[in-house]
Amino acid sequence: MLNLYKTLRKQLLVAIEKTIQDIAPSPQSSGRALDPQLVAASKPEFGDFQVNIALSLAKELKQSPHGIAMRIVENLNIDQDFSALCNAPQIAGPGFINLRIKNQCLVAEIQARIKDKRLGVPLINSETPDAITPTVVVDFSSPNIAKEMHVGHLRSTIIGDSLARVLEFRGYSVLRINHVGDWGTQFGMLITHLKEVAPEALETANAVDLGDLVTFYREAKQRFDTDAVFQTTSRDEVVKLQRGDPLAKKAWELLCEQSRQEFKKIYDYLDVKLSERGESFYNPYLQNVVDDLNKKGMLVTDEGAKCVFLDGMYGKSGKPLPIIIQKSNGGFNYATTDLAALRYRFATPPEGDGACRLIYVTDAGQSNHFQGVFQVAKLANWIPKASRVEHVPFGLVQGEDGKKLKTRSGDTIRLRDLLDEAIDRAEADLRRRLKEESREETEVFITRVSKAVGLAAVKYADLSQNRVTNYQFSFDRMLSLQGNTAPYLLYALVRIAGISRKGGSLDIQGSSLEFKEPQEWALIRELLRFDETIAEVEEELLPNRLCNYLFELSQVFNRFYDQVPVLKASQPYRDSRLALCRLTADTLKLGMSLLGLPILERM
RNA sequence: GCGCCUGUAGCUCAGCGGAUUAGAGCAUCUGACUACGGAUCAGAGGGUCGGGAGUUCGAAUCUCUCCAGGCGCGCCA
């Protein structure tokens, strides 16, 4: 109902302006930015929208809020366009103005949706088709080379993918960047260690498999933490790599390629598309970061490292906390890379992405880091005007014990295993159900449905929570097929497909719709909320808002389905109800596809 | 110690500064299959929105403070 909202807002502004002039005519009071405080009604019985401005104007105009509300309503009633849109406004409580959209307008909206594949969601450039398509960078997933993806990567991957899908649907040119960890000290560690224990891995492709690499990595990490000599050798190895040493580079390429193959399997499985552009990509730009910061006088050499000190950032013992741009041995680290990446993403093509918005989907533990990086970028004037840089943090994945699942010490659930188990459980559940209902289905059907249900359940469990909070990882909860879960949404879809199979054509033109049941009107209102939900997700980058909406839509639909007959109804109700079914299915399908969830007709 | 985040029903969580009953789901209890798939629907019980203060006509929501938990805090990313 975004377009109705906009229209109403305009009409309200006129009426409020007039009201202010009536009560307290003054040159200052006109022409300023007024907020009509038009919001969705807090309860269905209050209508569709409520206007709250009378209460805040009361003090300023020294009149009762109720009186002001009455005058606003009078002025609204003069407007014939308004009267065509809304029933007579009601004043409630101290001075709220309740608005209810006329039924015929709601029906017209529904008719428009039936013909609109975008279901009311406008394209970003729909009003200015000649404008350049704005580019948004979504930086997500970003596993580390030589490590296996674990449940922590799942959050970044799924959330990032969903945000990218929403932005793409809105018409942005989205760069899905996989900022893989392929360039840090970890590499020095690994190469140094492999030189000793498995030199063939550095010369021959696929000499060891990823599982072994993970073990080597773990060993290397342990040596790094305990052995000072190994530490220095490792760091120097990184510097060699960063300076382009051919042997180090060759070893590095082999390791990357091996990991890449493994990552791809997971991404294909999850139906996630990404462009790999790891940290190493920005290597040629690192020195510039140092030089430019130096020119701007922002660098301080401290204990041999080149640092930026920011106001208000202190470490353990109250000492100012630096952001290290170049290490004492000449190497660069992640702040430098992130700064180089930020510049590249804003820079105009071809030597940059020309983005207007940067979105980083990483765990909340990196909040401080990004805050620092963004602040340095701001001070250095590297963030163009009218552009946005956002860290999209998400909480930890905790074990049943409430503690963080360790990523480096080894006790991690492999992502692949998690997904497989989800699918296995979905399959067992499906087979049990088939037996109970004496249904016969082919193995192909069972495999396909289990995979879709399992993966959808895992994804949805993650997406449906506010990403900021930690979440306790639990197979049982994740895979539960009851309540606010993917299977519930899928089931609503399956029911509609069932109606269609039983002879209800969903190919409705919707030229003569007629509704009479409250369950129909509730469903209509719910369907029309889709566009504002998408707008919200685009702005706040919270996919759980879309999940909530789809769940509520499914609930409202199930109520309608349960209480209002469709196929047995007489015309014109039968076709009108079929139109609602069709629109519900379209909305669910589109919404679920924006979450990256698979869709089924039968389950 | 400092910084960031979180604290809402037994459990998992929604909640856009607004209306005498703060919402879902799970779990518990009670109903509904001669029905378009019951993986559903109707209903019940269950809350000092961590504590306190402040701003406001109005606070779960904004500010401050305290308490509890999580994460981070110099050359890992």
PDB file of all heavy atoms in Angstrom, chain A residues 98 235 279 327 334 408 466 491 548, chain B residues 14 19 36-38 74-77:
ATOM      1  N   ASN A  98      -8.157   8.221  12.655  1.00  0.00           N
ATOM      2  CA  ASN A  98      -8.112   6.887  12.054  1.00  0.00           C
ATOM      3  C   ASN A  98      -8.643   6.912  10.638  1.00  0.00           C
ATOM      4  O   ASN A  98      -9.697   7.495  10.370  1.00  0.00           O
ATOM      5  CB  ASN A  98      -8.950   5.905  12.884  1.00  0.00           C
ATOM      6  CG  ASN A  98      -8.307   5.642  14.235  1.00  0.00           C
ATOM      7  OD1 ASN A  98      -7.100   5.803  14.385  1.00  0.00           O
ATOM      8  ND2 ASN A  98      -9.106   5.260  15.200  1.00  0.00           N
ATOM      9  N   ARG A 235      55.548 -14.756   9.417  1.00  0.00           N
ATOM     10  CA  ARG A 235      55.274 -13.354   9.050  1.00  0.00           C
ATOM     11  C   ARG A 235      56.119 -12.930   7.869  1.00  0.00           C
ATOM     12  O   ARG A 235      55.656 -12.201   6.987  1.00  0.00           O
ATOM     13  CB  ARG A 235      55.529 -12.448  10.249  1.00  0.00           C
ATOM     14  CG  ARG A 235      54.434 -12.565  11.283  1.00  0.00           C
ATOM     15  CD  ARG A 235      54.588 -11.551  12.389  1.00  0.00           C
ATOM     16  NE  ARG A 235      53.501 -11.719  13.340  1.00  0.00           N
ATOM     17  CZ  ARG A 235      53.641 -11.687  14.661  1.00  0.00           C
ATOM     18  NH1 ARG A 235      54.833 -11.471  15.190  1.00  0.00           N
ATOM     19  NH2 ARG A 235      52.607 -11.841  15.442  1.00  0.00           N
ATOM     20  N   GLU A 279      41.074 -10.995  -0.492  1.00  0.00           N
ATOM     21  CA  GLU A 279      41.920  -9.922   0.025  1.00  0.00           C
ATOM     22  C   GLU A 279      43.112  -9.655  -0.894  1.00  0.00           C
ATOM     23  O   GLU A 279      43.547  -8.513  -1.040  1.00  0.00           O
ATOM     24  CB  GLU A 279      42.426 -10.314   1.414  1.00  0.00           C
ATOM     25  CG  GLU A 279      41.307 -10.411   2.432  1.00  0.00           C
ATOM     26  CD  GLU A 279      41.763 -11.088   3.719  1.00  0.00           C
ATOM     27  OE1 GLU A 279      42.820 -11.730   3.716  1.00  0.00           O
ATOM     28  OE2 GLU A 279      41.042 -10.959   4.711  1.00  0.00           O
ATOM     29  N   LYS A 327      52.643  -3.059   9.273  1.00  0.00           N
ATOM     30  CA  LYS A 327      53.298  -3.685  10.406  1.00  0.00           C
ATOM     31  C   LYS A 327      54.787  -3.347  10.426  1.00  0.00           C
ATOM     32  O   LYS A 327      55.347  -2.892   9.421  1.00  0.00           O
ATOM     33  CB  LYS A 327      53.108  -5.208  10.327  1.00  0.00           C
ATOM     34  CG  LYS A 327      51.652  -5.598  10.433  1.00  0.00           C
ATOM     35  CD  LYS A 327      51.459  -7.086  10.591  1.00  0.00           C
ATOM     36  CE  LYS A 327      51.408  -7.783   9.254  1.00  0.00           C
ATOM     37  NZ  LYS A 327      50.841  -9.151   9.361  1.00  0.00           N
ATOM     38  N   TYR A 334      44.724  -6.508   8.008  1.00  0.00           N
ATOM     39  CA  TYR A 334      43.369  -6.459   7.475  1.00  0.00           C
ATOM     40  C   TYR A 334      42.752  -5.066   7.415  1.00  0.00           C
ATOM     41  O   TYR A 334      41.930  -4.795   6.548  1.00  0.00           O
ATOM     42  CB  TYR A 334      42.460  -7.444   8.210  1.00  0.00           C
ATOM     43  CG  TYR A 334      42.094  -7.098   9.632  1.00  0.00           C
ATOM     44  CD1 TYR A 334      40.785  -7.243  10.078  1.00  0.00           C
ATOM     45  CD2 TYR A 334      43.039  -6.656  10.535  1.00  0.00           C
ATOM     46  CE1 TYR A 334      40.428  -6.960  11.369  1.00  0.00           C
ATOM     47  CE2 TYR A 334      42.694  -6.374  11.842  1.00  0.00           C
ATOM     48  CZ  TYR A 334      41.394  -6.520  12.255  1.00  0.00           C
ATOM     49  OH  TYR A 334      41.046  -6.240  13.533  1.00  0.00           O
ATOM     50  N   ARG A 408      38.816 -21.801  15.428  1.00  0.00           N
ATOM     51  CA  ARG A 408      40.234 -22.061  15.174  1.00  0.00           C
ATOM     52  C   ARG A 408      40.784 -23.251  15.937  1.00  0.00           C
ATOM     53  O   ARG A 408      41.784 -23.820  15.554  1.00  0.00           O
ATOM     54  CB  ARG A 408      41.051 -20.816  15.512  1.00  0.00           C
ATOM     55  CG  ARG A 408      40.659 -19.732  14.548  1.00  0.00           C
ATOM     56  CD  ARG A 408      41.595 -18.602  14.507  1.00  0.00           C
ATOM     57  NE  ARG A 408      41.086 -17.669  13.505  1.00  0.00           N
ATOM     58  CZ  ARG A 408      41.654 -16.550  13.174  1.00  0.00           C
ATOM     59  NH1 ARG A 408      42.764 -16.205  13.766  1.00  0.00           N
ATOM     60  NH2 ARG A 408      41.134 -15.776  12.263  1.00  0.00           N
ATOM     61  N   ASN A 466      16.165 -12.051  14.292  1.00  0.00           N
ATOM     62  CA  ASN A 466      16.893 -10.798  14.198  1.00  0.00           C
ATOM     63  C   ASN A 466      18.375 -11.140  14.224  1.00  0.00           C
ATOM     64  O   ASN A 466      18.865 -11.739  15.150  1.00  0.00           O
ATOM     65  CB  ASN A 466      16.533  -9.901  15.372  1.00  0.00           C
ATOM     66  CG  ASN A 466      17.138  -8.529  15.226  1.00  0.00           C
ATOM     67  OD1 ASN A 466      18.279  -8.392  14.790  1.00  0.00           O
ATOM     68  ND2 ASN A 466      16.385  -7.515  15.564  1.00  0.00           N
ATOM     69  N   TYR A 491       3.809 -25.195   3.102  1.00  0.00           N
ATOM     70  CA  TYR A 491       2.518 -25.878   3.186  1.00  0.00           C
ATOM     71  C   TYR A 491       1.386 -25.003   2.650  1.00  0.00           C
ATOM     72  O   TYR A 491       0.480 -25.483   1.960  1.00  0.00           O
ATOM     73  CB  TYR A 491       2.249 -26.297   4.633  1.00  0.00           C
ATOM     74  CG  TYR A 491       1.008 -27.138   4.781  1.00  0.00           C
ATOM     75  CD1 TYR A 491       0.889 -28.348   4.115  1.00  0.00           C
ATOM     76  CD2 TYR A 491      -0.058 -26.709   5.560  1.00  0.00           C
ATOM     77  CE1 TYR A 491      -0.258 -29.121   4.229  1.00  0.00           C
ATOM     78  CE2 TYR A 491      -1.207 -27.470   5.681  1.00  0.00           C
ATOM     79  CZ  TYR A 491      -1.305 -28.675   5.014  1.00  0.00           C
ATOM     80  OH  TYR A 491      -2.433 -29.422   5.134  1.00  0.00           O
ATOM     81  N   ASN A 548       8.920 -12.603   8.902  1.00  0.00           N
ATOM     82  CA  ASN A 548       7.740 -12.313   9.712  1.00  0.00           C
ATOM     83  C   ASN A 548       6.526 -12.071   8.835  1.00  0.00           C
ATOM     84  O   ASN A 548       5.442 -12.582   9.094  1.00  0.00           O
ATOM     85  CB  ASN A 548       7.965 -11.051  10.541  1.00  0.00           C
ATOM     86  CG  ASN A 548       8.502 -11.378  11.905  1.00  0.00           C
ATOM     87  OD1 ASN A 548       8.553 -12.547  12.285  1.00  0.00           O
ATOM     88  ND2 ASN A 548       8.906 -10.365  12.624  1.00  0.00           N
TER      89      ASN A 548
ATOM     90  P     A B  14      14.505 -11.476  17.713  1.00  0.00           P
ATOM     91  OP1   A B  14      15.623 -11.232  16.818  1.00  0.00           O
ATOM     92  OP2   A B  14      14.426 -10.734  18.984  1.00  0.00           O
ATOM     93  O5'   A B  14      13.179 -11.249  16.899  1.00  0.00           O
ATOM     94  C5'   A B  14      12.096 -10.617  17.500  1.00  0.00           C
ATOM     95  C4'   A B  14      10.986 -10.477  16.519  1.00  0.00           C
ATOM     96  O4'   A B  14       9.851 -11.201  17.060  1.00  0.00           O
ATOM     97  C3'   A B  14      10.518  -9.034  16.361  1.00  0.00           C
ATOM     98  O3'   A B  14      11.170  -8.401  15.293  1.00  0.00           O
ATOM     99  C2'   A B  14       9.013  -9.194  16.127  1.00  0.00           C
ATOM    100  O2'   A B  14       8.739  -9.558  14.793  1.00  0.00           O
ATOM    101  C1'   A B  14       8.714 -10.368  17.048  1.00  0.00           C
ATOM    102  N9    A B  14       8.436  -9.964  18.435  1.00  0.00           N
ATOM    103  C8    A B  14       9.203 -10.205  19.550  1.00  0.00           C
ATOM    104  N7    A B  14       8.683  -9.742  20.661  1.00  0.00           N
ATOM    105  C5    A B  14       7.506  -9.157  20.255  1.00  0.00           C
ATOM    106  C6    A B  14       6.488  -8.496  20.956  1.00  0.00           C
ATOM    107  N6    A B  14       6.512  -8.298  22.264  1.00  0.00           N
ATOM    108  N1    A B  14       5.447  -8.026  20.239  1.00  0.00           N
ATOM    109  C2    A B  14       5.415  -8.224  18.920  1.00  0.00           C
ATOM    110  N3    A B  14       6.307  -8.830  18.145  1.00  0.00           N
ATOM    111  C4    A B  14       7.336  -9.281  18.884  1.00  0.00           C
ATOM    112  P     A B  19      -0.674   2.270  21.721  1.00  0.00           P
ATOM    113  OP1   A B  19       0.204   1.662  22.715  1.00  0.00           O
ATOM    114  OP2   A B  19      -1.012   1.582  20.478  1.00  0.00           O
ATOM    115  O5'   A B  19      -2.015   2.677  22.442  1.00  0.00           O
ATOM    116  C5'   A B  19      -1.972   3.651  23.486  1.00  0.00           C
ATOM    117  C4'   A B  19      -3.351   4.167  23.698  1.00  0.00           C
ATOM    118  O4'   A B  19      -3.803   4.831  22.508  1.00  0.00           O
ATOM    119  C3'   A B  19      -4.376   3.091  24.028  1.00  0.00           C
ATOM    120  O3'   A B  19      -5.199   3.548  25.079  1.00  0.00           O
ATOM    121  C2'   A B  19      -5.172   2.939  22.750  1.00  0.00           C
ATOM    122  O2'   A B  19      -6.522   2.620  22.995  1.00  0.00           O
ATOM    123  C1'   A B  19      -5.076   4.328  22.158  1.00  0.00           C
ATOM    124  N9    A B  19      -5.150   4.320  20.695  1.00  0.00           N
ATOM    125  C8    A B  19      -4.230   3.877  19.796  1.00  0.00           C
ATOM    126  N7    A B  19      -4.577   4.020  18.542  1.00  0.00           N
ATOM    127  C5    A B  19      -5.829   4.606  18.621  1.00  0.00           C
ATOM    128  C6    A B  19      -6.743   5.023  17.647  1.00  0.00           C
ATOM    129  N6    A B  19      -6.517   4.902  16.343  1.00  0.00           N
ATOM    130  N1    A B  19      -7.900   5.549  18.071  1.00  0.00           N
ATOM    131  C2    A B  19      -8.119   5.664  19.377  1.00  0.00           C
ATOM    132  N3    A B  19      -7.338   5.328  20.402  1.00  0.00           N
ATOM    133  C4    A B  19      -6.193   4.795  19.951  1.00  0.00           C
ATOM    134  P     C B  36     -12.988 -31.552  -0.328  1.00  0.00           P
ATOM    135  OP1   C B  36     -14.249 -31.624  -1.051  1.00  0.00           O
ATOM    136  OP2   C B  36     -12.099 -32.719  -0.237  1.00  0.00           O
ATOM    137  O5'   C B  36     -12.155 -30.299  -0.832  1.00  0.00           O
ATOM    138  C5'   C B  36     -11.716 -30.251  -2.188  1.00  0.00           C
ATOM    139  C4'   C B  36     -10.562 -29.277  -2.264  1.00  0.00           C
ATOM    140  O4'   C B  36     -11.056 -27.950  -1.909  1.00  0.00           O
ATOM    141  C3'   C B  36      -9.447 -29.601  -1.255  1.00  0.00           C
ATOM    142  O3'   C B  36      -8.402 -30.268  -1.944  1.00  0.00           O
ATOM    143  C2'   C B  36      -9.025 -28.254  -0.687  1.00  0.00           C
ATOM    144  O2'   C B  36      -7.726 -27.878  -1.097  1.00  0.00           O
ATOM    145  C1'   C B  36      -9.990 -27.244  -1.349  1.00  0.00           C
ATOM    146  N1    C B  36     -10.526 -26.271  -0.365  1.00  0.00           N
ATOM    147  C2    C B  36     -11.080 -25.088  -0.851  1.00  0.00           C
ATOM    148  O2    C B  36     -11.110 -24.886  -2.067  1.00  0.00           O
ATOM    149  N3    C B  36     -11.581 -24.175   0.009  1.00  0.00           N
ATOM    150  C4    C B  36     -11.515 -24.425   1.332  1.00  0.00           C
ATOM    151  N4    C B  36     -12.008 -23.500   2.144  1.00  0.00           N
ATOM    152  C5    C B  36     -10.954 -25.626   1.841  1.00  0.00           C
ATOM    153  C6    C B  36     -10.473 -26.522   0.957  1.00  0.00           C
ATOM    154  P     G B  37      -6.990 -30.716  -1.483  1.00  0.00           P
ATOM    155  OP1   G B  37      -6.227 -29.469  -1.404  1.00  0.00           O
ATOM    156  OP2   G B  37      -6.518 -31.806  -2.293  1.00  0.00           O
ATOM    157  O5'   G B  37      -7.220 -31.438  -0.083  1.00  0.00           O
ATOM    158  C5'   G B  37      -7.311 -30.878   1.126  1.00  0.00           C
ATOM    159  C4'   G B  37      -6.340 -31.594   2.072  1.00  0.00           C
ATOM    160  O4'   G B  37      -5.257 -32.226   1.364  1.00  0.00           O
ATOM    161  C3'   G B  37      -5.749 -30.584   3.029  1.00  0.00           C
ATOM    162  O3'   G B  37      -5.820 -31.105   4.334  1.00  0.00           O
ATOM    163  C2'   G B  37      -4.306 -30.460   2.560  1.00  0.00           C
ATOM    164  O2'   G B  37      -3.446 -30.250   3.616  1.00  0.00           O
ATOM    165  C1'   G B  37      -4.040 -31.855   1.978  1.00  0.00           C
ATOM    166  N9    G B  37      -2.996 -31.812   0.954  1.00  0.00           N
ATOM    167  C8    G B  37      -3.068 -31.331  -0.326  1.00  0.00           C
ATOM    168  N7    G B  37      -1.937 -31.420  -0.972  1.00  0.00           N
ATOM    169  C5    G B  37      -1.071 -31.999  -0.055  1.00  0.00           C
ATOM    170  C6    G B  37       0.291 -32.352  -0.174  1.00  0.00           C
ATOM    171  O6    G B  37       1.025 -32.215  -1.152  1.00  0.00           O
ATOM    172  N1    G B  37       0.787 -32.905   0.990  1.00  0.00           N
ATOM    173  C2    G B  37       0.058 -33.099   2.138  1.00  0.00           C
ATOM    174  N2    G B  37       0.714 -33.652   3.165  1.00  0.00           N
ATOM    175  N3    G B  37      -1.218 -32.791   2.272  1.00  0.00           N
ATOM    176  C4    G B  37      -1.709 -32.245   1.142  1.00  0.00           C
ATOM    177  P     G B  38      -6.573 -30.167   5.463  1.00  0.00           P
ATOM    178  OP1   G B  38      -7.972 -30.596   5.632  1.00  0.00           O
ATOM    179  OP2   G B  38      -6.276 -28.749   5.167  1.00  0.00           O
ATOM    180  O5'   G B  38      -5.798 -30.589   6.779  1.00  0.00           O
ATOM    181  C5'   G B  38      -4.510 -30.094   7.056  1.00  0.00           C
ATOM    182  C4'   G B  38      -3.991 -30.770   8.293  1.00  0.00           C
ATOM    183  O4'   G B  38      -4.863 -30.438   9.399  1.00  0.00           O
ATOM    184  C3'   G B  38      -3.956 -32.279   8.202  1.00  0.00           C
ATOM    185  O3'   G B  38      -2.826 -32.782   8.888  1.00  0.00           O
ATOM    186  C2'   G B  38      -5.220 -32.717   8.935  1.00  0.00           C
ATOM    187  O2'   G B  38      -5.105 -33.974   9.554  1.00  0.00           O
ATOM    188  C1'   G B  38      -5.333 -31.610   9.998  1.00  0.00           C
ATOM    189  N9    G B  38      -6.697 -31.401  10.429  1.00  0.00           N
ATOM    190  C8    G B  38      -7.728 -30.810   9.751  1.00  0.00           C
ATOM    191  N7    G B  38      -8.828 -30.782  10.431  1.00  0.00           N
ATOM    192  C5    G B  38      -8.513 -31.402  11.633  1.00  0.00           C
ATOM    193  C6    G B  38      -9.300 -31.672  12.775  1.00  0.00           C
ATOM    194  O6    G B  38     -10.499 -31.421  12.956  1.00  0.00           O
ATOM    195  N1    G B  38      -8.581 -32.320  13.760  1.00  0.00           N
ATOM    196  C2    G B  38      -7.269 -32.666  13.674  1.00  0.00           C
ATOM    197  N2    G B  38      -6.763 -33.286  14.728  1.00  0.00           N
ATOM    198  N3    G B  38      -6.504 -32.416  12.617  1.00  0.00           N
ATOM    199  C4    G B  38      -7.194 -31.784  11.647  1.00  0.00           C
ATOM    200  P     G B  74      45.008  -6.041  21.909  1.00  0.00           P
ATOM    201  OP1   G B  74      44.795  -7.464  21.674  1.00  0.00           O
ATOM    202  OP2   G B  74      45.382  -5.530  23.251  1.00  0.00           O
ATOM    203  O5'   G B  74      46.083  -5.484  20.892  1.00  0.00           O
ATOM    204  C5'   G B  74      45.758  -5.376  19.493  1.00  0.00           C
ATOM    205  C4'   G B  74      47.037  -5.144  18.752  1.00  0.00           C
ATOM    206  O4'   G B  74      47.428  -3.770  18.947  1.00  0.00           O
ATOM    207  C3'   G B  74      48.165  -6.023  19.240  1.00  0.00           C
ATOM    208  O3'   G B  74      48.844  -6.580  18.132  1.00  0.00           O
ATOM    209  C2'   G B  74      49.082  -5.073  20.004  1.00  0.00           C
ATOM    210  O2'   G B  74      50.428  -5.410  19.867  1.00  0.00           O
ATOM    211  C1'   G B  74      48.789  -3.733  19.311  1.00  0.00           C
ATOM    212  N9    G B  74      49.026  -2.569  20.145  1.00  0.00           N
ATOM    213  C8    G B  74      48.524  -2.296  21.396  1.00  0.00           C
ATOM    214  N7    G B  74      48.935  -1.167  21.888  1.00  0.00           N
ATOM    215  C5    G B  74      49.766  -0.656  20.892  1.00  0.00           C
ATOM    216  C6    G B  74      50.498   0.544  20.864  1.00  0.00           C
ATOM    217  O6    G B  74      50.555   1.422  21.728  1.00  0.00           O
ATOM    218  N1    G B  74      51.221   0.677  19.685  1.00  0.00           N
ATOM    219  C2    G B  74      51.229  -0.235  18.669  1.00  0.00           C
ATOM    220  N2    G B  74      51.970   0.048  17.617  1.00  0.00           N
ATOM    221  N3    G B  74      50.538  -1.374  18.677  1.00  0.00           N
ATOM    222  C4    G B  74      49.842  -1.511  19.820  1.00  0.00           C
ATOM    223  P     C B  75      49.345  -8.156  18.443  1.00  0.00           P
ATOM    224  OP1   C B  75      48.203  -8.908  18.944  1.00  0.00           O
ATOM    225  OP2   C B  75      50.607  -8.108  19.224  1.00  0.00           O
ATOM    226  O5'   C B  75      49.765  -8.693  17.014  1.00  0.00           O
ATOM    227  C5'   C B  75      48.977  -8.448  15.861  1.00  0.00           C
ATOM    228  C4'   C B  75      49.732  -7.620  14.855  1.00  0.00           C
ATOM    229  O4'   C B  75      50.212  -6.428  15.489  1.00  0.00           O
ATOM    230  C3'   C B  75      50.997  -8.240  14.306  1.00  0.00           C
ATOM    231  O3'   C B  75      50.708  -9.072  13.210  1.00  0.00           O
ATOM    232  C2'   C B  75      51.767  -7.023  13.819  1.00  0.00           C
ATOM    233  O2'   C B  75      51.440  -6.706  12.480  1.00  0.00           O
ATOM    234  C1'   C B  75      51.237  -5.888  14.691  1.00  0.00           C
ATOM    235  N1    C B  75      52.277  -5.243  15.520  1.00  0.00           N
ATOM    236  C2    C B  75      53.295  -4.530  14.879  1.00  0.00           C
ATOM    237  O2    C B  75      53.318  -4.496  13.635  1.00  0.00           O
ATOM    238  N3    C B  75      54.236  -3.907  15.610  1.00  0.00           N
ATOM    239  C4    C B  75      54.174  -3.955  16.938  1.00  0.00           C
ATOM    240  N4    C B  75      55.124  -3.324  17.623  1.00  0.00           N
ATOM    241  C5    C B  75      53.143  -4.672  17.631  1.00  0.00           C
ATOM    242  C6    C B  75      52.221  -5.300  16.874  1.00  0.00           C
ATOM    243  P     C B  76      50.516 -10.627  13.568  1.00  0.00           P
ATOM    244  OP1   C B  76      51.231 -10.974  14.805  1.00  0.00           O
ATOM    245  OP2   C B  76      50.862 -11.297  12.310  1.00  0.00           O
ATOM    246  O5'   C B  76      48.961 -10.791  13.813  1.00  0.00           O
ATOM    247  C5'   C B  76      48.038 -10.523  12.795  1.00  0.00           C
ATOM    248  C4'   C B  76      47.280 -11.795  12.466  1.00  0.00           C
ATOM    249  O4'   C B  76      46.659 -12.281  13.677  1.00  0.00           O
ATOM    250  C3'   C B  76      46.119 -11.602  11.526  1.00  0.00           C
ATOM    251  O3'   C B  76      46.573 -11.627  10.191  1.00  0.00           O
ATOM    252  C2'   C B  76      45.244 -12.805  11.847  1.00  0.00           C
ATOM    253  O2'   C B  76      45.709 -13.927  11.154  1.00  0.00           O
ATOM    254  C1'   C B  76      45.488 -12.978  13.348  1.00  0.00           C
ATOM    255  N1    C B  76      44.391 -12.472  14.197  1.00  0.00           N
ATOM    256  C2    C B  76      43.196 -13.220  14.268  1.00  0.00           C
ATOM    257  O2    C B  76      43.103 -14.258  13.606  1.00  0.00           O
ATOM    258  N3    C B  76      42.182 -12.769  15.050  1.00  0.00           N
ATOM    259  C4    C B  76      42.324 -11.644  15.735  1.00  0.00           C
ATOM    260  N4    C B  76      41.307 -11.247  16.496  1.00  0.00           N
ATOM    261  C5    C B  76      43.521 -10.878  15.672  1.00  0.00           C
ATOM    262  C6    C B  76      44.514 -11.316  14.901  1.00  0.00           C
ATOM    263  P     A B  77      46.100 -10.480   9.228  1.00  0.00           P
ATOM    264  OP1   A B  77      46.890 -10.671   7.994  1.00  0.00           O
ATOM    265  OP2   A B  77      46.112  -9.173   9.920  1.00  0.00           O
ATOM    266  O5'   A B  77      44.594 -10.871   8.945  1.00  0.00           O
ATOM    267  C5'   A B  77      44.274 -12.042   8.211  1.00  0.00           C
ATOM    268  C4'   A B  77      42.797 -12.284   8.343  1.00  0.00           C
ATOM    269  O4'   A B  77      42.495 -12.509   9.736  1.00  0.00           O
ATOM    270  C3'   A B  77      41.921 -11.103   7.953  1.00  0.00           C
ATOM    271  O3'   A B  77      41.651 -11.112   6.569  1.00  0.00           O
ATOM    272  C2'   A B  77      40.671 -11.316   8.794  1.00  0.00           C
ATOM    273  O2'   A B  77      39.816 -12.265   8.200  1.00  0.00           O
ATOM    274  C1'   A B  77      41.259 -11.920  10.069  1.00  0.00           C
ATOM    275  N9    A B  77      41.476 -10.907  11.116  1.00  0.00           N
ATOM    276  C8    A B  77      42.560 -10.102  11.283  1.00  0.00           C
ATOM    277  N7    A B  77      42.479  -9.305  12.321  1.00  0.00           N
ATOM    278  C5    A B  77      41.249  -9.618  12.879  1.00  0.00           C
ATOM    279  C6    A B  77      40.575  -9.127  14.009  1.00  0.00           C
ATOM    280  N6    A B  77      41.062  -8.178  14.808  1.00  0.00           N
ATOM    281  N1    A B  77      39.366  -9.649  14.291  1.00  0.00           N
ATOM    282  C2    A B  77      38.879 -10.600  13.475  1.00  0.00           C
ATOM    283  N3    A B  77      39.425 -11.145  12.385  1.00  0.00           N
ATOM    284  C4    A B  77      40.627 -10.610  12.142  1.00  0.00           C
TER     285        A B  77
END
